[in-house]
């Protein structure tokens, strides 16, 4: 466990927006993950956060790792190769760590 985990996904989402690290955080609630950890199988309800950001990926990952209650949270980066340009421009302008 980390020393100062956030209490819920909404708190982490607001923190990322407040710090200018994300333009938008989409929360997909009540997903169920089945996984093996330390030799045991777990089935737990989780909230998936889709973080839209143009901020420094290492800085963003650092903030999530510090706030997250898991020792090994899922953090995956996806390259965007296209999309609605106006939306992509908004993300670029909104999430550069300058709130």
């Amino acid at each position: 466990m980390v020393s100062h985990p956030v209490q819920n996904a909404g708190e982490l989402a607001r923190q990322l927006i407040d710090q200018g690290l994300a333009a938008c955080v989409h929360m997909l609630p009540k997903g169920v993950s089945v996984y093996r950890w330390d030799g045991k199988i777990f089935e737990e309800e989780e909230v998936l956060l889709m973080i839209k950001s143009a901020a420094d990926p290492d800085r963003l990952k650092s903030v999530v790792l510090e706030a997250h209650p898991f020792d090994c949270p899922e953090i995956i980066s996806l390259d965007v190769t296209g999309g609605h340009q106006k939306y992509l421009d908004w993300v670029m302008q909104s999430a550069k760590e300058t709130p």
Side-chain angles (χ1 to χ4, degrees):
M1 290 285 180
V2 294
S3 57
H4 302 290
V6 294
Q7 295 301 308
N8 60 52
E11 185 179 330
L12 177 55
R14 285 184 294 278
Q15 178 182 344
L16 295 173
I17 297 293
D18 185 55
Q19 292 182 19
L21 291 169
C24 176
V25 180
H26 189 97
M27 294 184 285
L28 300 168
K30 297 188 180 182
V32 176
S33 291
V34 179
Y35 59 94
R36 184 182 310 274
W37 187 258
D38 288 335
K40 298 177 187 170
I41 296 176
F42 294 86
E43 184 171 329
E44 297 181 344
E45 204 170 87
E46 295 182 346
V47 175
L48 174 67
L49 299 182
M50 294 179 61
I51 303 166
K52 290 86 169 203
S53 178
D56 175 57
D58 291 330
R59 171 86 172 112
L60 180 60
K61 182 169 56 173
S62 174
V63 170
V64 171
L65 287 171
E66 183 178 318
H68 203 285
F70 288 1
D71 291 332
C72 184
E74 175 183 354
I75 300 174
I76 298 171
S77 175
L78 303 173
D79 289 328
V80 176
T81 59
H84 178 55
Q85 193 60 51
K86 188 173 181 179
Y87 179 82
L88 297 175
D89 291 344
W90 172 74
V91 170
M92 293 298 291
Q93 294 167 4
S94 297
K96 292 186 176 179
E97 302 179 64
T98 55

